[in-house]
């Protein structure tokens, strides 16, 4: 039985979820939820029992000293609540942030849905990020997908047709659908040749799309500046290697060619309306201090030191030392790319087997 002592009655609540691991390339999705929690000073009201869902040899607990006392932190999934004020409306967000579970996925999803039911959640939005053939110099593609045909029409989303391996993002979305809870997944594509986390450009793109979806203004803090610094840093690193620079140029040309049909009058009108909604002379106007999510096309941090060799698909450092960046934090993968409905992402998954886990 779920007990929610101390949680006030919520206003039009939406649940926002992100999970570290396979569905979180560049840590973009989990960082986005962490940003919401930090900016709106979220209060944790529940956490799932780590013993039920995690293999501690895969996701190990950490130990730290707190005023001389050793403290163990167990890997888990925590729920917090924030009040998003400003913009079109005031509403509460239930933030779910954790690690993709090692076991008992159905029970895991049922427990999260139990909280959603008790809190009166109107919609669940699950954030994800995948590795794709997208240039870092262009705006990050973000796909919105749902299993609900009516929701796809009303929110201008893609109706998922994916078949194949999936992660906890796909499982939770389907669990919501079967439980009658409206659910949407937002996926950002991260350049596979610079996959080291963090990637504020992808985080910024997710927050931008989320802002439009739920109708609230999202304060960005220093995220926009971090994003610019990341892009400038990757630009500089790419310019030092002619092979990678040529590869990036080929991705740019392919992206620009594919998007030519989008430069229609209707698409331009939509973007202009978005711009007008956001300027309004408010603190959220683009470029203003503390501004809100915008499609600037910048993002990330300046010290991402690893790029992937476009020929072999393997990671390589930009400095003389040899090191592999295929760690457990890379996330993403071909299955996630197809599930997200991204046509240009994950095409080289077979050449990058380590990205599948």
């Amino acid at each position: 039985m779920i007990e929610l002592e101390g949680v006030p009655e919520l206003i039009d609540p939406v649940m926002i979820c992100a999970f570290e691991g396979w569905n979180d390339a560049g840590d973009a999705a989990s960082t986005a939820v962490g940003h919401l929690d930090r900016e709106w000073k979220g209060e944790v009201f529940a956490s799932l029992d780590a013993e039920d869902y995690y293999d501690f040899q895969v996701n190990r607990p950490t130990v730290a000293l707190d005023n001389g006392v050793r403290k163990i932190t167990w890997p888990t999934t925590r729920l917090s609540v924030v009040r998003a004020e400003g913009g079109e409306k005031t509403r509460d967000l239930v933030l779910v942030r954790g690690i993709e579970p090692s076991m008992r996925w159905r029970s895991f999803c049922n427990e999260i849905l139990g909280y959603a039911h008790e809190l009166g959640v109107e919609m669940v939005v699950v954030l994800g990020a995948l590795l794709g053939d997208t240039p870092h110099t262009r705006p990050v593609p973000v796909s919105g997908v749902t299993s609900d045909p009516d929701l796809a029409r009303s929110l201008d989303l893609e109706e998922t047709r994916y078949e194949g391996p999936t992660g906890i993002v796909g499982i939770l979305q389907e669990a919501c659908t079967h439980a009658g809870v409206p659910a949407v997944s937002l996926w950002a594509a991260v350049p596979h040749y610079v996959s080291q986390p963090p990637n504020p450009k992808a985080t910024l793109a997710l927050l931008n799309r989320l802002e439009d979806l739920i109708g609230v203004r999202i304060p960005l803090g220093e995220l926009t500046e971090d994003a610019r610094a990341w892009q400038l840093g990757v630009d500089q690193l790419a310019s030092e290697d002619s092979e990678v620079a040529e590869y990036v140029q080929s991705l740019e040309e392919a992206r620009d060619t594919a998007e030519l049909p989008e430069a229609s009058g209707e698409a331009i009108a939509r973007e202009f309306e978005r711009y007008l909604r956001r300027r309004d002379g408010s603190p959220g106007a683009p470029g203003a201090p503390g501004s809100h999510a915008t499609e600037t096309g910048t993002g990330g941090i300046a010290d991402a030191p690893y790029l992937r060799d476009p020929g072999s698909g393997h990671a390589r450092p930009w400095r003389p030392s040899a090191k592999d960046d295929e760690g457990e934090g890379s996330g993403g993968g071909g299955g996630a790319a197809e599930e997200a409905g991204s046509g240009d992402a994950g095409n080289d998954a077979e050449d990058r087997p380590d990205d599948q886990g």
Side-chain angles (χ1 to χ4, degrees):
M1 180 178 178
I2 295 174
E3 298 182 1
L4 296 174
E5 295 182 4
V7 179
E9 185 175 351
L10 304 183
I11 302 173
D12 300 331
V14 173
M15 179 175 279
I16 314 293
C17 310
F19 304 97
E20 300 172 18
W22 196 68
N23 299 136
D24 193 24
D27 291 354
S30 57
T31 301
V33 173
H35 177 86
L36 297 175
D37 189 78
R38 183 171 58 255
E39 289 295 322
W40 277 313
K41 298 178 175 57
E43 297 183 9
V44 175
F45 64 86
S47 61
L48 277 58
D49 190 341
E51 292 277 354
D52 291 340
Y53 304 114
Y54 295 101
D55 180 344
F56 298 139
Q57 290 184 324
V58 176
N59 298 292
R60 292 185 178 274
T62 60
V63 62
L65 291 176
D66 184 8
N67 294 324
V69 178
R70 291 171 65 84
K71 181 180 179 181
I72 294 177
T73 301
W74 297 92
T76 189
T77 294
R78 295 179 174 84
L79 289 81
S80 60
V81 63
V82 300
R83 176 147 296 175
E85 298 180 303
E88 299 176 15
K89 62 189 303 183
T90 296
R91 75 186 320 162
D92 290 308
L93 306 180
V94 180
L95 306 179
V96 180
R97 185 185 181 192
I99 305 169
E100 184 177 64
S102 307
M103 60 195 80
R104 302 184 182 92
W105 284 19
R106 285 176 290 187
S107 298
F108 180 87
C109 293
N110 287 337
E111 190 165 352
I112 290 176
L113 282 170
Y115 284 106
H117 175 74
E118 290 296 322
L119 293 167
V121 165
E122 298 179 353
M123 181 171 65
V124 174
V125 182
V126 193
L127 306 183
L130 52 95
L131 299 179
D133 293 327
T134 182
H136 72 278
T137 53
R138 297 294 187 266
V140 175
V142 178
S143 301
V145 297
T146 180
S147 300
D148 185 334
D150 295 331
L151 202 60
R153 285 191 295 270
S154 63
L155 297 179
D156 192 24
L157 302 169
E158 297 179 44
E159 187 178 351
T160 181
R161 300 295 185 198
Y162 172 73
E163 296 178 295
T166 190
I168 194 61
V169 170
I171 298 298
L172 180 56
Q173 181 172 328
E174 286 305 304
C176 290
T177 300
H178 289 300
V181 179
V184 174
S185 296
L186 299 181
W187 291 88
V190 172
H192 68 80
Y193 57 89
V194 56
S195 60
Q196 283 290 98
N199 187 322
K201 181 169 185 175
T203 296
L204 185 62
L206 282 170
L207 292 175
N208 176 71
R209 187 65 182 274
L210 178 65
E211 184 179 75
D212 289 342
L213 184 66
I214 64 177
V216 300
R217 289 291 184 91
I218 298 176
L220 294 182
E222 298 179 355
L223 184 58
T224 303
E225 289 304 315
D226 290 343
R228 288 197 187 96
W230 179 87
Q231 178 151 331
L232 290 174
V234 177
D235 284 344
Q236 181 177 353
L237 291 172
S239 69
E240 297 173 4
D241 187 297
S242 59
E243 184 181 357
V244 173
E246 182 179 348
Y247 178 64
V248 172
Q249 184 179 1
S250 70
L251 292 178
E252 291 172 339
E253 293 172 354
R255 174 76 178 273
D256 294 344
T257 300
E259 291 191 346
L260 281 176
E262 293 299 318
S264 63
E266 184 178 349
I268 293 172
R270 282 199 305 267
E271 290 307 308
F272 186 62
E273 289 173 0
R274 183 201 301 266
Y275 168 74
L276 290 178
R277 284 200 309 270
R278 285 179 176 155
R279 62 189 302 271
D280 286 340
S282 68
S291 63
H292 301 275
T294 59
E295 293 193 5
T296 61
T298 60
I301 60 171
D303 57 350
Y306 293 98
L307 300 188
R308 294 179 183 278
D309 187 319
S312 67
H314 296 297
R316 65 176 181 181
W318 283 92
R319 304 306 178 204
S321 61
K323 183 177 179 181
D324 184 8
D325 77 331
E326 298 292 335
E328 63 184 40
S330 61
E338 294 300 324
E339 187 170 6
S342 173
D344 65 348
N347 295 332
D348 58 346
E350 292 183 1
D351 296 328
R352 294 179 282 110
D354 291 338
D355 291 333
Q356 306 303 314

